[in-house]
Amino acid sequence: EIVMTQSPVTLSVSPGDRATLSCRASQNVNSNLAWYQQKPGQAPRLLIYGASTRATGVPDRISGSGSGTEFTLTISSLQSEDFAFYYCQEYNNWPPWTFGQGTKVEIK
Amino acid sequence: QLVESGGGLVQPGGSLRLSCLDSGFTFSSFTFSSFWMSWVRQAPGKGLEWVANIKQDGSEKYYLDSVKGRFTISRDNAKNSLYLQMNSLRAEDTALYYCARGSSGWFDGYYDSWGQGILVTVSA
């Protein structure tokens, strides 16, 4: 069973700064990796699939990269609406379909 | 578009049936029956955990190990509805349960549409 490890657990960033979030898979997941954003009291929202393809409506300041076991979500210039929790999810080796434990992006 | 119902407070060992209705308001030619469907849960203050999924025609179903034999996923494509029958509930099943739309292909993948979630609380 794959383990998805996200780092850091909490990321403190000033508005306008860049945020870099990491997701590591314990086995090769090729490019079968998605990223989600979740704000308090809301359902998750798909941001990225296929490791680097933005979902509909996702601004281009949000980008994903990586393949194999190492993945990165980058938010180039943090806006107020970007402060949230972020989860990665692999869909290469299943079942189960595994999520990372999440990264909280908070205002510095 | 996805609306869950059926949650609530239940005693340990009890049962509950969750439902998810796809209202179908979409500009896409795809319909409910085109997609894998999943249940994903989130315990209070915790992360996301996939629970179960079901193929478009119901021919394949997969479960998280900890719910195997206790939970049953099903769907009724004529009613645009997804279900989760939960039996022998445990305190650790307490969570917000989300209905999520998956892949339109042969295999399930990522989830591009989510319900608002329904709370299940297992407590004496």
Side-chain angles (χ1 to χ4, degrees):
Chain A
E1 185 173 315
I2 286 187
V3 176
M4 305 298 292
T5 303
Q6 292 185 240
S7 61
V9 172
T10 302
L11 185 62
S12 298
V13 187
S14 299
D17 285 355
R18 173 186 295 258
T20 303
L21 289 68
S22 294
C23 176
R24 175 175 294 179
S26 61
Q27 301 173 36
N28 179 23
V29 301
N30 297 300
S31 293
N32 296 314
L33 191 285
W35 289 95
Y36 301 86
Q37 177 193 68
Q38 188 180 33
K39 298 178 182 180
Q42 295 186 17
R45 171 198 178 195
L46 176 68
L47 296 177
I48 299 285
Y49 60 92
S52 60
T53 303
R54 284 184 209 90
T56 303
V58 175
D60 58 9
R61 67 176 183 274
I62 295 176
S63 62
S65 62
S67 66
T69 62
E70 299 283 345
F71 300 87
T72 300
L73 181 73
T74 302
I75 308 173
S76 60
S77 176
L78 271 158
Q79 307 296 305
S80 57
E81 60 266 31
D82 300 328
F83 292 97
F85 287 87
Y86 292 84
Y87 296 92
C88 62
Q89 178 231 336
E90 70 86 18
Y91 49 97
N92 190 77
N93 301 301
W94 44 264
W97 283 256
T98 306
F99 291 88
Q101 84 282 9
T103 291
K104 180 183 180 181
V105 176
E106 65 176 21
I107 299 175
K108 187 173 182 180
Chain B
Q1 292 171 318
L2 299 174
V3 180
E4 301 95 339
S5 60
L9 174 64
V10 62
Q11 292 187 339
S15 298
L16 216 51
R17 188 193 194 210
L18 304 184
S19 299
C20 171
L21 174 65
D22 182 350
S23 65
F25 293 115
T26 176
F27 295 109
S28 170
S29 59
F30 289 98
T31 61
F32 177 79
S33 62
S34 304
F35 299 97
W36 283 80
M37 294 297 297
S38 286
W39 290 98
V40 176
R41 68 185 179 185
Q42 187 168 34
K46 302 298 184 183
L48 301 170
E49 181 177 55
W50 168 84
V51 174
N53 62 0
I54 184 169
K55 197 173 181 178
Q56 291 93 329
D57 61 358
S59 61
E60 293 182 36
K61 304 175 185 181
Y62 298 94
Y63 297 93
L64 184 68
D65 280 349
S66 63
V67 309
K68 277 181 187 174
R70 301 189 298 122
F71 289 12
T72 302
I73 190 171
S74 61
R75 66 190 297 164
D76 185 338
N77 288 338
K79 295 182 178 179
N80 288 348
S81 292
L82 175 72
Y83 307 100
L84 186 68
Q85 177 67 44
M86 303 186 295
N87 298 330
S88 302
L89 281 161
R90 306 167 180 168
E92 55 265 35
D93 296 319
T94 293
L96 191 62
Y97 283 73
Y98 291 103
C99 167
R101 188 178 75 180
S103 166
S104 59
W106 287 102
F107 309 107
D108 201 7
Y110 53 88
Y111 308 113
D112 65 352
S113 183
W114 298 67
Q116 83 287 354
I118 191 76
L119 184 61
V120 172
T121 303
V122 184
S123 175

